[in-house]
Amino acid sequence: MGFNQAQKRAVTHGAGPCQVLAGPGSGKTLTIVNRIRYLIEECHIRPEEILVVTFTRFAAAEMKERLCGLMGRREIPVTAGTFHGIYYGILKWAYRFGPQNILSEEEKYQLLRPIVGRQELEPSDEEDFLRDIAEEIGRVKNNRMDISEFVSSKCGAETFRDIYREYEKERKALRKIDFDDMLVVCYELFASRPDVLAMWQKRFLYILVDEFQDINRVQYDVLRMLALPENNLFVVGDDDQAIYGFRGADPEIMFRFGKDYPGAEQILLDVNYRSTSNIVSNSLKVIGNNLKRFDKKIETVRDKGDFLHVQELKDPNEEAQYVADVIEKQVESGVPAEDMAVLFRIHTDARPVAEELIRRKMPFQMREYLPNLYDHFIAKDIQAYFRLATGQISRGDLLRVMNRPKRYIGRDSLSGGAASFEEIRNFYCDKDWMLDRIDQFEWDVKMLARMAPYAAIQYVRKRIGYDDFLKDYAYTNKIERSALNEVLAEIEEAARPYAAIEEWFTHIGEYTEALKKKDRAKETYREGVRLMTLHAAKGLEFDTVLLIGANEGRMPYKKAVSEKAEEEERRLFYVGMTRAKNVLKICYVKEKNGKETAPSRFVDELLDED
């Protein structure tokens, strides 16, 4: 394959620093691999003197495989790996580090759990909170921040500092480093041992970095040290695809590169070979609203193709039906299901689509774990009420819901034989006021048997008083009430298509079993349309992309309140759009969980005629 002018400039760049801005579908990997070949064959650089840094082991392996194929060799001793892998290799050499010196993720949480427990915090979800704290500890290390100045967004500033210091003390007592320490310790090694640094500088005379927009401060600092004194640093990235700020990536580094290396050449790979002209122009229309970006004019070699389609739908159930209809039509027209993707902001957004595909027996695959809505305690409460309504009266179900809402029925009222309302009545036979409550409980349960699931859930919520129970539960357990209400409303909406309780139970069973099968077969199951978050889709491409849930509160996500966060959300939307080669459909709903919702501001930007 021949190169376009920009690719040729990048491939044949000589010595010194160079920044390549590589948009979606612009032949980024092709350019990097051919530059390595050029350095070896034309510039006579020894392969051992070339270092290629990627962000995943898969990307590093693919790079080496393509290089070997290009040069017709079985093995080429270029060093290619992730930041962590390469820096760990340096530490192994310097300190004789081995696996026994690395704190695993499991061990990290074993350390953090009791430390957090001693702070007398009461998070709504302990595991989520621990993950958030671990993430913030990583951010402090990766950006070489002063802990005394860091302000946590998850707990009080002093509380976080106490957790951080205690965690570091216990980690050091174990004589171990965690994943993030690999970068920090490597920086400290080079800063304190110029002789060691000089040795590695002579080893790697040419450094190439892929996905440069995802770099963090300590990774960059070590790279700059390694690249001295020649500064043969060739970095490739796209500021418009910087979507990992929440992991500590700092897209500002892309803009600093030109200041740190004033003589650096900057090259724009300005041709998109992946997508049709309509997809390219519309995606640029959205990303052009970001203020902090390199200005780019991107061309495409492809024709206009299908018009971008924006679809308004009533609710997530109708959206799921629409998505399944489009997939069926595309398959009929000859597009393989595996070359289609349904993209969404957070993994729970996939539930309506997954349910619809399972209902239609259409295969799909998911990279991320999808929690089962029907495993939530609220769903289990509703199911317990419904089983009682259909005459399946068990001790477990009675115990589960007899005080949801509060009826003041004691557990010891069911200590006898077969569980029944009559047994409870016998226990309270001398208390008329309790008998009235039990009679009402039984009457309400019998009423549910006559209703469709959607109406029955509304009855449980309003007439029986389950909403009041959730209000008290949220207050007692210090949980955000809106989060519980959202789960209940989603269960209610999911039940809408079913005419009878038994039909709903059948669906729950099939859906639950299908999810279990998908989890078990995650590594080997590769059939069907791909369901994935926008983050997981980065770097991939598909014939057809359906981007769902393009509503305010989801895109941008409701927690992205700052201008900086909004710009990252817009980049995420842009990444989703640019995964499509031929067909791109963007969907939003008018209502969700019984509430009106607005289309995303990014959709408005697409539809803006200016």
Side-chain angles (χ1 to χ4, degrees):
M1 173 186 171
F3 301 115
N4 64 40
Q5 191 174 353
Q7 288 173 332
K8 188 172 182 180
R9 272 181 64 204
V11 167
T12 59
H13 169 75
C18 178
Q19 182 178 46
V20 178
L21 303 176
S26 61
K28 169 175 68 81
T29 305
L30 173 87
T31 302
I32 295 172
V33 168
N34 275 277
R35 170 155 178 78
I36 301 168
R37 181 201 59 77
Y38 175 81
L39 289 173
I40 296 169
E41 293 186 347
E42 304 297 328
C43 302
H44 308 294
I45 306 301
R46 292 172 58 239
E48 292 87 351
E49 295 173 339
I50 298 172
L51 171 64
V52 185
V53 188
T54 66
F55 274 81
T56 66
R57 282 179 291 183
F58 175 80
E62 183 193 18
M63 206 83 75
K64 288 206 76 167
E65 186 180 327
R66 287 181 64 168
L67 180 64
C68 290
L70 181 69
M71 298 183 68
R73 298 194 208 170
R74 289 183 62 184
E75 182 58 41
I76 299 172
V78 167
T79 300
T82 64
F83 278 103
H84 286 93
I86 288 159
Y87 293 3
Y88 176 56
I90 291 169
L91 296 179
K92 274 174 73 175
W93 172 87
Y95 298 124
R96 302 292 184 265
F97 274 179
Q100 72 279 3
N101 300 110
I102 305 300
L103 193 73
S104 70
E105 286 298 290
E106 187 181 342
E107 289 172 319
K108 179 193 281 189
Y109 287 111
Q110 285 172 355
L111 280 188
L112 276 174
R113 196 167 279 109
I115 293 170
V116 169
R118 289 193 286 274
Q119 295 295 324
E120 297 183 357
L121 298 164
E122 293 188 18
S124 58
D125 187 311
E126 186 188 8
E127 291 307 307
D128 278 352
F129 183 74
L130 282 172
R131 237 184 336 265
D132 290 340
I133 291 294
E135 203 173 86
E136 289 198 324
I137 289 172
R139 192 170 302 147
V140 170
K141 294 182 178 185
N142 288 326
N143 291 290
R144 292 178 45 229
M145 295 177 176
D146 184 340
I147 185 60
S148 65
E149 295 176 5
F150 181 78
V151 178
S152 169
S153 63
K154 306 301 176 185
C155 61
E158 277 308 315
T159 301
F160 176 79
R161 288 164 197 159
D162 289 344
I163 292 170
Y164 181 90
R165 289 175 181 129
E166 197 172 340
Y167 166 75
E168 285 294 276
K169 181 182 174 184
E170 294 195 18
R171 176 187 65 75
K172 288 172 182 173
L174 292 171
R175 302 180 66 80
K176 291 195 174 193
I177 61 171
D178 64 24
F179 202 56
D180 301 302
D181 288 319
M182 287 185 203
L183 310 177
V184 178
V185 175
C186 196
Y187 172 84
E188 290 169 349
L189 169 68
F190 284 169
S192 62
R193 292 287 304 275
D195 56 325
V196 172
L197 174 59
M199 191 203 79
W200 288 99
Q201 286 169 337
K202 287 173 186 168
R203 165 78 188 273
F204 298 127
L205 296 180
Y206 283 80
I207 301 173
L208 298 89
V209 185
D210 189 18
E211 303 287 8
F212 187 63
Q213 75 279 349
D214 296 333
I215 202 166
N216 65 40
R217 169 78 183 276
V218 71
Q219 289 167 341
Y220 183 54
D221 287 346
V222 174
L223 268 182
R224 292 197 67 200
M225 296 164 93
L226 264 180
L228 289 168
E230 285 88 356
N231 290 328
N232 293 324
L233 192 53
F234 184 88
V235 301
V236 183
D238 181 8
D239 54 303
D240 289 334
Q241 296 186 72
I243 60 172
Y244 293 119
F246 69 97
R247 287 186 190 167
D250 183 2
E252 290 288 327
I253 291 170
M254 282 205 77
F255 301 98
R256 270 182 47 195
F257 188 84
K259 295 173 185 173
D260 291 337
Y261 300 98
E265 185 174 9
Q266 187 180 84
I267 302 167
L268 170 64
L269 300 188
D270 56 357
V271 181
N272 182 316
Y273 293 94
R274 174 190 299 158
S275 306
T276 62
S277 175
N278 275 323
I279 291 170
V280 171
S281 60
N282 278 291
S283 59
L284 289 171
K285 191 175 181 182
V286 173
I287 199 63
N289 287 280
N290 270 4
L291 300 176
K292 186 73 173 177
R293 64 185 292 264
F294 290 110
D295 189 34
K296 307 178 188 73
K297 286 184 172 62
I298 305 292
E299 299 174 4
T300 177
V301 296
R302 301 194 55 199
D303 58 18
K304 282 191 173 294
D306 289 355
F307 287 109
L308 167 70
H309 185 80
V310 177
Q311 181 69 43
E312 178 184 273
L313 296 143
K314 178 175 177 287
D315 56 29
N317 286 338
E318 189 174 281
E319 183 178 55
Q321 291 161 16
Y322 172 78
V323 166
D325 289 343
V326 170
I327 293 167
E328 284 182 339
K329 285 176 187 170
Q330 288 294 91
V331 169
E332 285 168 11
S333 72
V335 179
E338 296 73 25
D339 205 9
M340 288 185 265
V342 182
L343 307 182
F344 35 84
R345 179 60 181 85
I346 59 172
H347 59 295
T348 51
D349 292 340
R351 197 267 314 155
V353 173
E355 288 203 39
E356 183 64 25
L357 296 178
I358 288 168
R359 189 180 297 118
R360 298 193 192 194
K361 296 186 168 43
M362 295 169 66
F364 67 92
Q365 47 184 308
M366 283 192 72
R367 182 186 290 188
E368 296 117 324
Y369 168 70
L370 176 60
N372 188 350
L373 176 68
Y374 304 110
D375 283 342
H376 196 283
F377 83 83
I378 295 174
K380 289 183 175 178
D381 288 350
I382 299 295
Q383 290 172 67
Y385 266 114
F386 284 10
R387 278 190 294 271
L388 295 175
T390 54
Q392 303 170 56
I393 296 176
S394 70
R395 186 173 187 274
D397 284 341
L398 278 170
L399 285 171
R400 183 172 192 96
V401 298
M402 65 188 186
N403 286 307
R404 296 186 170 194
K406 198 76 174 166
R407 297 182 179 93
Y408 300 96
I409 303 173
R411 293 177 68 87
D412 49 356
S413 65
L414 283 170
S415 58
S420 66
F421 288 100
E422 198 56 41
E423 184 190 352
I424 302 172
R425 264 192 286 267
N426 289 337
F427 186 84
Y428 290 107
C429 61
D430 57 341
K431 293 181 175 68
D432 290 345
W433 62 278
M434 280 301 295
L435 292 175
D436 289 343
R437 287 171 187 266
I438 297 157
D439 289 345
Q440 183 67 48
F441 182 19
E442 184 176 21
W443 189 83
D444 281 334
V445 163
K446 285 179 178 174
M447 286 293 292
L448 295 175
R450 307 174 189 176
M451 301 176 188
Y454 180 78
I457 293 172
Q458 289 185 315
Y459 188 90
V460 171
R461 293 184 67 173
K462 307 299 180 189
R463 179 67 183 82
I464 293 179
Y466 192 80
D467 279 358
D468 294 331
F469 156 71
L470 278 189
K471 179 182 176 182
D472 293 340
Y473 184 92
Y475 177 78
T476 304
N477 292 280
K478 293 183 171 56
I479 297 172
E480 216 176 299
R481 185 184 168 191
S482 61
L484 296 179
N485 288 344
E486 196 172 313
V487 171
L488 180 51
E490 189 171 347
I491 294 164
E492 185 177 277
E493 283 300 311
R496 194 189 281 271
Y498 302 95
I501 286 173
E502 290 82 358
E503 188 185 341
W504 189 58
F505 273 132
T506 299
H507 165 71
I508 290 173
E510 290 173 352
Y511 178 69
T512 299
E513 186 52 37
L515 281 191
K516 284 178 183 172
K517 280 182 182 173
K518 295 221 174 291
D519 258 3
R520 288 195 294 266
K522 197 160 279 182
E523 294 307 312
T524 55
Y525 190 74
R526 291 289 178 266
E527 183 187 355
V529 66
R530 306 278 290 275
L531 271 57
M532 61 179 69
T533 62
L534 291 164
H535 283 103
K538 185 166 174 285
L540 303 176
E541 58 180 44
F542 304 93
D543 175 273
T544 301
V545 168
L546 294 116
L547 208 161
I548 65 170
N551 286 84
E552 284 293 299
R554 274 296 186 261
M555 301 176 193
Y557 193 54
K558 59 189 175 185
K559 293 180 181 177
V561 291
S562 68
E563 184 180 294
K564 185 177 178 182
E566 183 190 324
E567 293 217 340
E568 180 157 321
E569 291 288 314
R570 188 177 281 106
R571 293 194 290 267
L572 192 55
F573 193 82
Y574 172 76
V575 164
M577 292 181 71
T578 54
R579 300 311 93 198
K581 291 188 279 189
N582 296 310
V583 177
L584 173 62
K585 296 181 186 291
I586 297 173
C587 307
Y588 67 89
V589 297
K590 291 194 290 182
E591 68 174 60
K592 185 175 181 183
N593 299 338
K595 294 180 181 176
E596 280 190 24
T597 56
S600 165
R601 67 194 72 176
F602 307 147
V603 170
D604 290 341
E605 290 165 4
L606 267 175
L607 301 177
D608 191 351
E609 294 300 325
D610 292 342

